[in-house]
Amino acid sequence: MKIKAKLTSGIGTLLLLIIVLAVLSGAYVLKLKEETNNILSANYNSLDYARRMLLSLDDSNDVTAGGRFMEDLALQQGNVTETGESEITRRLTDHVRQLSRPGDKETVKQLIRRDLLGVMQVNMNAIQRKSRLANATVDNAILWIITTGTICFLIAFVLLARMPGSISRPVRELTESIRQIAARNYKLRLGTGSRDEFGDLARSFNTMAEKLDEYDNTQLAQVMYEKKRIETLINNMNDPVIGLDEEGTIAFVNGKAAAILNTTESALIGKNAQNLALDVDLIRLLIRDVPGIANPGTKPSDPFIHIFAEGREQYFEKELIGISMTPTGESERRPIGNVIILRNVTSFKELEFAKTNFMATISHELKTPISSIKLSLQLLEKEATGTVNSEQQQLIGSIREDSDRLLKITGELLNLSQIETGNIQLVKKSSDPYELIGEAMNAVSKEAEHYGVFISKETEDDLPHIALDNDKTQWVLSNLLVNAIHYSAEGQTVGLRLLRSGHALRFEVTDKGPGIGEQFVSRIFDRYFQVPGISKPGSGLGLAICREFIEAQGGRIGVDSRPGEGSTFYFELEL
Ligand code: ADP
């Protein structure tokens, strides 16, 4: 039944009940009124006439002469209602007529009185009977009204108890279902049995839920498809890839990564990388710099990760990418994890090894012939093999300069190959710093003389001995001095300072040369780097080797420079 019909029938029933009760009560009231009126007009009036006739009979000697008595008699004659009353009234009329004739009036009067009392008696009996009837009617009315009232009450009670529930229950169910839909429970369906408006609503609701479910499934299928595509992409990458969520749990990993870790993807996905790192050194190495997950340890000397995988030595360069995103409805970006990509640099490494070996061999092989050239030149210069004219002397001088440069470059290449193969052999011993700088000055004195540059020395007093590799430190200091000489103009002075700096000894070489632009300062210690525009012929290796030598001894090297004002190269070694 439709809600409208339900409400109409409910309210209609209540209205009907009210009407039934009203009609019933009204009917009884009318009936009682009728019965009361009946008593009043039929019996009470007869009693009153009889009473008045009795009074008139006592007051007057001749009532037949007209007057009140005769009026009342006429009224009584017109108000005969009870059985036996007409007989008595007729007798009364006869006796009144006898009264007008001559005779014993007192006896007739007695008879009239008896008739009047008879009239009164008949009517009083009628009043009593009718009163009993009226009482019965009242009892009946009470019974019917109570019975009908009770039935009405019961019907109204049932309607009251059931109707609001039958309307509110489906509304409640619908509200709850809408909540479930909002919570993405699209599988929910409502019962469609009811044939009212709620049934229609439930059917529409079910259609909506079905459509949402269908849409959700298509979306899910699309998301799954995209996920698969990304997984395939990652899996097909030649580089090992490991994805971590913000808690450090491995979210995805490709086959290559699983292979170098000597396990399977399923054995890694969902595991906490930090826990795995307790047992697997390689994982510890991989997650070393992951922010918020592992504490960064000391920086490894080799920036490459060296792994024996797939039957051969392989080298990987690690790249760590922090992933962040702005969640839907928020404005701030939040970190959601990290991706570790290992670039396979084995082929580059192999080429580098070949190059380093080649460099080492060539420089080593060149050193001996160049040295013997220098020796022969010395003999020629000293005219040990015969006199040389001034032109020949000049030629010998330039050959010496070139062979010096060649020897410098081969020496640098040899040093570099040693550094690249990790073969720096430090021979540390306690050395006198004053002696060290004296030797360095001697080593470059000819160069300074040649370029017309002066070297001034400034040293703090009472500096202690220091443990260092004498040859390598000497090499560094000479290199810095030679650079300073080369970049100074003729007649300028290069300053050499030795001082204490905290717990270290600081060596400084200052020149008034062209200086180095701010944008190049961070790069001049890189291999093969030469400042564009100002550089003199050279290999660009000297400062790179200096840095390796100083850092290998636990020291630090740097430069303060201003373009146009000169540079101060310095290094510090811990005491
Ligand atoms: P090179 O063999 O070219 O001198 P270095 O490694 O010794 O190689 O120096 C690298 C570069 O740094 C030089 O090419 C030059 O541009 C710059 N440089 C080095 N020393 C100085 C200096 N004292 N003043 C200005 N520039 C310098």
Side-chain angles (χ1 to χ4, degrees):
M1 200 197 277
K2 302 271 179 200
I3 300 171
K4 191 179 167 194
K6 257 189 209 171
L7 283 171
T8 314
S9 69
I11 296 168
T13 310
L14 284 174
L15 199 70
L16 198 73
L17 295 177
I18 293 168
I19 292 171
V20 167
L21 266 178
V23 168
L24 193 71
S25 313
Y28 274 109
V29 168
L30 279 178
K31 197 173 174 202
L32 275 173
K33 188 185 170 200
E34 198 180 304
E35 283 173 3
T36 320
N37 279 348
N38 192 14
I39 291 172
L40 199 71
S41 64
N43 305 110
Y44 176 79
N45 284 350
S46 291
L47 276 177
D48 200 35
Y49 303 150
R51 181 184 62 83
R52 285 208 308 255
M53 279 190 279
L54 274 177
L55 287 176
S56 303
L57 199 64
D58 288 341
D59 287 350
S60 153
N61 287 331
D62 185 11
V63 289
T64 52
R68 285 280 304 270
F69 187 90
M70 290 314 284
E71 278 172 24
D72 287 333
L73 181 63
L75 285 170
Q76 171 55 29
Q77 282 166 343
N79 192 33
V80 174
T81 52
E82 303 305 319
T83 38
E85 194 180 358
S86 78
E87 179 64 22
I88 299 169
T89 309
R90 197 169 40 78
R91 250 195 341 255
L92 174 69
T93 313
D94 288 347
H95 288 139
V96 172
R97 254 185 238 128
Q98 274 181 26
L99 200 63
S100 60
R101 283 179 226 140
D104 187 3
K105 292 207 190 258
E106 244 349 271
T107 316
V108 179
K109 273 189 180 180
Q110 278 301 325
L111 287 171
I112 289 172
R113 275 194 196 96
R114 206 186 57 209
D115 291 337
L116 285 172
L117 286 174
V119 169
M120 286 174 89
Q121 188 60 51
V122 167
N123 278 290
M124 270 168 51
N125 287 347
I127 286 175
Q128 272 180 359
R129 184 170 41 81
K130 285 181 184 171
S131 288
R132 273 201 302 278
L133 255 175
N135 275 342
T137 306
V138 169
D139 288 347
N140 227 357
I142 290 171
L143 184 72
W144 271 106
I145 289 172
I146 286 179
T147 312
T148 320
T150 310
I151 292 168
C152 291
F153 171 77
L154 285 176
I155 294 171
F157 185 78
V158 170
L159 279 176
L160 199 73
R162 297 199 51 159
M163 212 164 72
S166 74
I167 293 170
S168 70
R169 199 178 322 107
V171 173
R172 264 202 317 275
E173 271 173 28
L174 190 71
T175 313
E176 180 51 32
S177 308
I178 289 169
R179 266 196 210 115
Q180 293 278 329
I181 289 281
R184 299 176 68 92
N185 180 8
Y186 302 136
K187 295 272 177 270
L188 187 96
R189 295 288 179 276
L190 287 177
T192 53
S194 125
R195 276 187 289 153
D196 56 13
E197 286 89 338
F198 286 118
D200 295 342
L201 199 61
R203 275 184 286 281
S204 307
F205 179 90
N206 288 351
T207 314
M208 179 193 74
E210 211 167 296
K211 290 255 183 277
L212 281 174
D213 195 22
E214 213 176 275
Y215 176 74
D216 199 42
N217 282 336
T218 356
Q219 291 285 92
L220 196 70
Q222 210 167 340
V223 170
M224 290 305 285
Y225 175 76
E226 291 299 329
K227 185 173 174 267
K228 253 242 127 36
R229 189 152 69 166
I230 292 168
E231 275 173 4
T232 315
L233 205 104
I234 292 170
N235 264 326
N236 280 311
M237 276 174 75
N238 267 331
D239 296 327
V241 179
I242 300 170
L244 303 173
D245 68 13
E246 64 271 48
E247 257 105 46
T249 305
I250 298 178
F252 59 85
V253 65
N254 69 356
K256 288 272 172 192
I260 63 158
L261 288 165
N262 212 8
T263 179
T264 59
E265 285 133 281
S266 52
L268 292 168
I269 292 172
K271 302 273 164 56
N272 185 284
Q274 244 177 325
N275 293 343
L276 290 176
L278 297 176
D279 300 324
V280 187
D281 289 349
L282 184 54
I283 293 186
R284 190 162 49 243
L285 207 63
L286 294 183
I287 64 166
R288 232 192 89 245
D289 314 315
V290 178
I293 291 175
N295 293 328
T298 50
K299 205 178 172 209
S301 52
D302 191 351
F304 300 106
I305 296 173
H306 178 200
I307 301 166
F308 189 84
E310 294 169 338
R312 67 192 182 112
E313 302 254 19
Q314 300 204 47
Y315 288 86
F316 293 93
E317 189 183 29
K318 186 176 93 175
E319 188 180 357
L320 180 70
I321 306 170
I323 311 288
S324 63
M325 67 158 201
T326 315
T328 321
E330 291 183 22
S331 55
E332 298 265 306
R333 282 186 88 76
R334 263 203 285 138
I336 56 160
N338 293 277
V339 175
I340 300 165
I341 301 176
L342 295 178
R343 295 234 164 69
N344 196 327
V345 290
T346 312
S347 53
F348 299 106
K349 265 287 185 185
E350 284 167 353
L351 281 175
E352 198 180 85
F353 282 144
K355 179 209 75 182
T356 308
N357 279 339
F358 174 75
M359 253 167 42
T361 317
I362 288 286
S363 47
H364 191 261
E365 291 303 319
L366 284 177
K367 237 183 146 178
T368 327
I370 297 169
S371 300
S372 83
I373 290 172
K374 276 192 73 176
L375 208 70
S376 308
L377 284 172
Q378 271 176 13
L379 291 175
L380 282 175
E381 264 184 326
K382 287 182 182 158
E383 300 187 342
T385 52
T387 49
V388 241
N389 63 30
S390 62
E391 280 178 14
Q392 287 167 331
Q393 275 290 2
Q394 267 182 1
L395 283 172
I396 290 167
S398 67
I399 294 172
R400 186 177 39 76
E401 268 178 31
D402 285 344
S403 47
D404 276 348
R405 202 150 43 230
L406 265 178
L407 203 62
K408 182 176 179 266
I409 289 174
T410 49
E412 284 175 350
L413 286 175
L414 203 60
N415 280 333
L416 189 72
S417 59
Q418 276 175 9
I419 289 164
E420 286 186 349
T421 49
N423 285 339
I424 305 182
Q425 305 284 342
L426 286 180
V427 188
K428 272 195 173 183
K429 61 173 195 262
S430 178
S431 310
D432 181 351
Y434 300 106
E435 251 175 48
L436 187 91
I437 63 164
E439 281 165 18
M441 277 179 76
N442 280 341
V444 300
S445 59
K446 274 203 179 143
E447 200 82 9
E449 203 179 309
H450 181 78
Y451 281 88
V453 173
F454 304 101
I455 299 179
S456 75
K457 185 176 75 171
E458 187 187 328
T459 55
E460 250 178 43
D461 293 333
D462 303 325
L463 293 173
H465 277 49
I466 179 169
L468 45 72
D469 183 312
N470 209 66
D471 288 350
K472 294 195 169 54
T473 315
Q474 176 83 51
W475 193 96
V476 173
L477 203 52
S478 308
N479 207 280
L480 296 182
L481 281 169
V482 169
N483 276 351
I485 292 166
H486 284 182
Y487 288 97
S488 293
E490 200 176 340
Q492 282 186 335
T493 303
V494 165
L496 174 60
R497 282 178 77 204
L498 172 65
L499 60 152
R500 189 194 269 271
S501 165
H503 291 290
L505 276 192
R506 185 177 169 101
F507 298 80
E508 282 183 5
V509 177
T510 306
D511 65 62
K512 302 236 163 0
I516 300 157
E518 206 182 327
Q519 69 274 35
F520 303 120
V521 166
S522 61
R523 298 173 60 194
I524 56 164
F525 291 97
D526 292 347
R527 286 172 205 177
Y528 309 109
F529 181 78
Q530 295 187 303
V531 177
I534 61 156
S535 293
K536 306 270 160 83
S539 63
L541 288 172
L543 289 178
I545 296 167
C546 288
R547 182 169 69 181
E548 296 288 348
F549 281 176
I550 295 300
E551 286 181 357
Q553 298 182 71
R556 129 190 136 82
I557 190 166
V559 62
D560 297 322
S561 184
R562 280 178 178 221
E565 290 181 22
S567 321
T568 297
F569 282 84
Y570 62 87
F571 64 89
E572 289 178 359
L573 292 170
E574 288 292 319
L575 278 166

